[in-house]
């Protein structure tokens, strides 16, 4: 009898410990990883081929790089909690501890480095323009004066246009898919952001044939892994990115996620070498 009671209390303590662990697990940020906690990863939900959410399924190149990196850090796929990170919210989501890391076509810039850290880059894209298929009046940013152009709040795409393209009427949305809808209905004459994002949006079943990426890039966008300032994960993430490139998984992920899109990545700039982590 005594023996049985003792067993019971050992089980109860174990159960209580497990509860405590799972209650604390959500934070995740400072854990070494792989010890039963959750990794909260910010991605886009509306960029086909990069970060896309469809009925609880998450797909795209960013998602695949994120899964590979998470695995190297000791997290299984079911320990990942995907969180939508729109362009304008990324720095805040990292600073406010709403996510542990962000893989969301997130360009490394000096301005962003003031509030967040970056690992990577793991890809280099270039800013381009998307137009209606039958419109051959826009061949580059120099043809945009007097035109209506859509981009996204909080992106380098919108900022570059504001700084470098005089005379254009810039309309801002919260996501690029909304911009493409406006382009289809004639609300704007062009959409601007990274070439790989535009190619993915133009290749969906609903959009196929309607739009064309101009193919004249005018920036270099180095996709980094956004981290809270002072994160200790940067070195391990860079090692994971290098491993993904070396073992062929990177190439496979780019190829499979751009299949059917009229897109090939810039071979002079890709695959990139991760930069030194902030000290
Ligand atoms: N790569 C650019 C940026 O980080 C444009 C794409 C985006 O908004 O995610 O702002």
């Amino acid at each position: 009898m005594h023996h049985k009671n003792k067993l019971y209390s050992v089980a109860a303590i174990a159960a209580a410990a497990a509860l405590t662990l799972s209650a604390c697990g959500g934070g995740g940020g400072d854990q070494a990883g792989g010890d039963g906690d959750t990794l909260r990863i910010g991605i886009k939900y509306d960029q086909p081929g990069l970060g896309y959410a469809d009925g609880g399924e998450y797909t795209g190149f960013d998602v695949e790089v994120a899964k590979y990196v998470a695995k190297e850090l000791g997290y299984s796929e079911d320990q990942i909690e995907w969180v939508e990170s729109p362009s304008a919210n990324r720095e805040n989501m990292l600073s406010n501890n709403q996510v542990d890391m962000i893989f969301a076509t997130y360009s490394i810039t000096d301005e962003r480095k003031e509030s967040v850290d970056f690992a990577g880059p793991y890809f280099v894209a270039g800013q381009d323009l998307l137009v209606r298929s039958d419109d051959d009046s826009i061949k580059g940013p120099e043809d945009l004066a007097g035109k209506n152009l859509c981009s996204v709040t909080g992106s380098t795409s919108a900022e570059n246009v504001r700084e470098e393209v005089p005379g254009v009427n810039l309309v801002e949305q919260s996501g690029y898919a909304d911009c493409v809808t406006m382009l289809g209905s004639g609300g704007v004459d062009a959409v601007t952001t990274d070439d790989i994002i535009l190619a993915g949006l133009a290749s969906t079943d609903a959009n196929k044939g309607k739009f064309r990426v101009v193919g004249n890039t005018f920036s270099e966008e180095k996709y980094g892994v956004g981290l809270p300032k002072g994160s200790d994960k940067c070195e391990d993430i860079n090692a994971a990115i290098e491993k993904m490139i070396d073992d062929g998984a990177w190439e496979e992920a780019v190829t499979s996620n751009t299949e059917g899109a009229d897109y090939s990545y810039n071979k002079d700039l890709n695959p990139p070498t991760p930069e030194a982590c902030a000290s």
Side-chain angles (χ1 to χ4, degrees), residues 40-47 50-53 58 62-63 81-95 97-107 112 152-155 174-176 197 224-227:
R40 300 161 306 163
I41 303 183
I43 55 168
K44 296 295 182 69
Y45 277 11
D46 59 352
Q47 295 180 190
L50 286 155
Y52 193 70
Y58 303 90
D62 281 343
V63 170
E81 185 191 326
W82 302 106
V83 182
E84 185 173 21
S85 298
S87 296
N89 300 5
R90 292 175 293 202
E91 289 84 33
N92 277 336
M93 291 183 82
L94 289 167
S95 304
N97 188 33
Q98 290 170 268
V99 290
D100 299 307
M101 47 185 72
I102 289 184
F103 293 74
T105 60
Y106 196 12
S107 296
R112 288 170 179 167
V152 164
T153 308
S155 68
S174 57
Y176 300 103
I197 299 175
V225 182
L227 298 166

Side-chain angles (χ1 to χ4, degrees), residues 12 38 44 79 86 88 104 119 135 138 151 153 166 183 192 221 269-270 278:
T38 300
K44 296 295 182 69
Q79 284 177 286
D135 182 351
I138 301 172
S151 197
T153 308
L183 180 62
T192 190
E221 305 296 323
L269 305 175
N270 287 288

Side-chain angles (χ1 to χ4, degrees), residues 98-155:
Q98 290 170 268
V99 290
D100 299 307
M101 47 185 72
I102 289 184
F103 293 74
T105 60
Y106 196 12
S107 296
I108 300 172
T109 70
D110 288 341
E111 198 182 336
R112 288 170 179 167
K113 276 185 186 171
E114 286 172 18
S115 52
V116 303
D117 284 351
F118 286 100
Y122 59 89
F123 189 76
V124 184
Q127 186 167 354
D128 211 324
L129 298 165
L130 187 75
V131 296
R132 286 182 290 275
S133 294
D134 59 2
D135 182 351
D136 51 20
S137 70
I138 301 172
K139 297 184 177 66
E142 63 282 359
D143 300 321
L144 290 171
K147 303 269 190 185
N148 297 317
L149 176 69
C150 188
S151 197
V152 164
T153 308
S155 68

Side-chain angles (χ1 to χ4, degrees), residues 147-165:
K147 303 269 190 185
N148 297 317
L149 176 69
C150 188
S151 197
V152 164
T153 308
S155 68
T156 56
S157 320
E159 197 171 304
N160 292 343
V161 162
R162 243 182 267 110
E163 284 168 5
E164 290 160 33
V165 188

